[in-house]
Amino acid sequence: MNTTLSSPLPSPAATTARDRALVLGGGGSTGNAWLIGVIAGLADAGLDVTGADLTIGTSAGSTAAAQIGWGDPAELYAATLVAPTAAQLARGGSGRPNSSSPVVNHLERLTSFIASSADAVDYRRRLCASALEQDAASDGSWSERWRATVAARLPEQEWPEQRVLITAVDARTSDPVVFDRDSGVSLVDAIAASCSSGLPYRIGDARYLDGGFRANAENADLAAGYARVLVLSPFGGRSLTPVGWGTHLAAQVDELTAGGSRVETVFPDADSEHLFGPNGMDVSLRPAAARAGYAQAATLAPRLIPFWR
C-alpha cells in the first residue's frame, strides 16, 4: 500500500458488512450531475447501488454520496435536468463569480506545484502552505458562504444511516483526513471541506482542503477489504500528478485487486468527455452531463448487475 495514504479508524458499523463498496469520484459540478445520472440510470435498469455497505465520496462525489444517502435517485436526476437560474449561472459551481479564468489559473497553479514537488507528500505540503497564506489574508467569510451553498444542495443535513466516508486534507498538517458520522464533524462541514478545491475551508480552528488532494479524485484505496468495489470516476481515472507517485486510480485498483477485491470502474464515454475537466464548474452543462450518465447506465447495467449482485 502506498505509504502516502491513510485509512480511517473503523467505526463500529465498519465491522458489520464488507461486501460492496461504492466509490464516487470528484469532477466538479458536471461530475456530480454525471454521477447522479449514472446512479439513476442504473436504478431504472434494475440495479440499485445506493445500498452499498460503504460509500466513499471525494469532492463532488462527497455531495453525491450524501444526496443518494437521503434522496431518491429518480428525483435527484430530475432535479439535475432543470436549467440553472441566472443567479446560479452567475455564481458558477464554486460560490464565486462564474468565469473560466479561475479554473484555468487553478490548473496552472496545481501544475506548478506538481513540477516543484518530490512526491505526493511534498505536493500536499506545498498546497497547504499556500492555502494557509490565503486564509491568513482573508476574513473567513468565504467558508460561511460556501457552507450555505453546500447545505442547499443536500436533501438532509444529517449523516445517512449507511456508512459514508468523505475525504479531505488537513491544511495545517498536510495529512489526509477521512470524515464519517463518528468523526464529530457535521455532514455539511465534511462535504464543504471535501469540495473546497484549493481554498482553505474553516471548521472551528482547523482548515481543510479538497479531498481530491488526499491521493486522487477517487480515493478508492479506502475500499480495501471489500469484496466488490464499484468506482464511478467523472475524471476517467486521470490525474495531473506523475504516475510514479503511485496515487493514480489504476495503482489503487491494482492494490485492491491484489487484496482480493473485485473492482469495476466506470468513466464517462468519449462523446461526453468535453463536459468535464476545464468545463467541470460550468453549471449550464449539468443537464447534459446528467443525461450522458443516465444514457451510459443502460449499456453498463448488463455488466454491472451480475457483478454487484
Side-chain angles (χ1 to χ4, degrees):
M1 176 67 71
N2 191 313
T3 57
T4 66
L5 309 181
S6 70
S7 297
L9 294 174
S11 66
T15 61
T16 59
R18 298 179 67 86
D19 184 13
R20 297 174 297 182
L22 176 65
V23 178
L24 304 178
S29 185
T30 59
N32 171 268
W34 178 81
L35 290 169
I36 296 300
V38 171
I39 292 167
L42 289 175
D44 282 351
L47 178 58
D48 180 8
V49 298
T50 65
D53 302 305
L54 171 68
T55 301
I56 298 163
T58 293
S59 200
S62 70
T63 305
Q67 288 169 328
I68 66 171
W70 287 111
D72 175 70
E75 294 178 359
L76 293 169
Y77 175 62
T80 65
L81 302 182
V82 177
T85 65
Q88 289 171 324
L89 289 172
R91 288 194 305 270
S94 63
R96 293 169 290 180
N98 192 13
S99 168
S100 61
S101 59
V103 175
V104 173
N105 293 342
H106 182 54
L107 290 174
E108 291 177 350
R109 175 171 163 270
L110 296 183
T111 301
S112 174
F113 280 135
I114 291 168
S116 59
S117 298
D119 53 28
V121 174
D122 189 28
Y123 176 46
R124 285 201 306 270
R125 188 180 300 117
R126 292 171 187 268
L127 282 171
C128 292
S130 175
L132 291 178
E133 289 179 4
Q134 294 181 66
D135 183 66
S138 74
D139 61 5
S141 62
W142 174 81
S143 290
E144 296 178 9
R145 296 194 305 272
W146 184 231
R147 191 183 196 282
T149 298
V150 169
R153 296 171 176 171
L154 306 181
E156 299 285 345
Q157 296 186 14
E158 300 298 323
W159 286 88
E161 288 301 318
Q162 58 265 46
R163 191 175 188 228
V164 174
L165 302 181
I166 293 177
T167 63
V169 171
D170 186 325
R172 293 191 167 177
T173 65
S174 72
D175 291 332
V177 175
V178 181
F179 298 116
D180 66 9
R181 64 182 301 112
D182 300 317
S183 62
V185 171
S186 74
L187 178 67
V188 176
D189 280 328
I191 294 172
S194 190
C195 296
S196 66
S197 190
L199 296 176
Y201 179 75
R202 299 183 176 191
I203 304 178
D205 293 332
R207 304 291 184 267
Y208 295 96
L209 296 189
D210 196 287
F213 298 132
R214 175 187 174 274
N216 67 338
E218 298 83 17
N219 291 298
D221 63 290
L222 293 173
Y226 281 75
R228 291 170 287 178
V229 181
L230 174 59
V231 181
L232 306 184
S233 172
F235 279 150
R238 295 185 297 274
S239 175
L240 296 173
T241 60
V243 173
W245 287 5
T247 58
H248 281 219
L249 175 61
Q252 296 189 8
V253 170
D254 287 345
E255 291 175 349
L256 290 170
T257 302
S261 300
R262 295 170 56 203
V263 184
E264 288 282 356
T265 57
V266 176
F267 308 145
D269 58 29
D271 292 338
S272 62
E273 285 183 347
H274 66 285
L275 300 171
F276 309 99
N279 293 322
M281 302 311 294
D282 188 342
V283 295
S284 70
L285 298 178
R286 279 179 58 81
R291 290 190 184 96
Y294 185 90
Q296 192 175 349
T299 64
L300 295 169
R303 169 167 61 94
L304 294 182
I305 287 174
F307 165 76
W308 195 251
R309 292 179 177 173

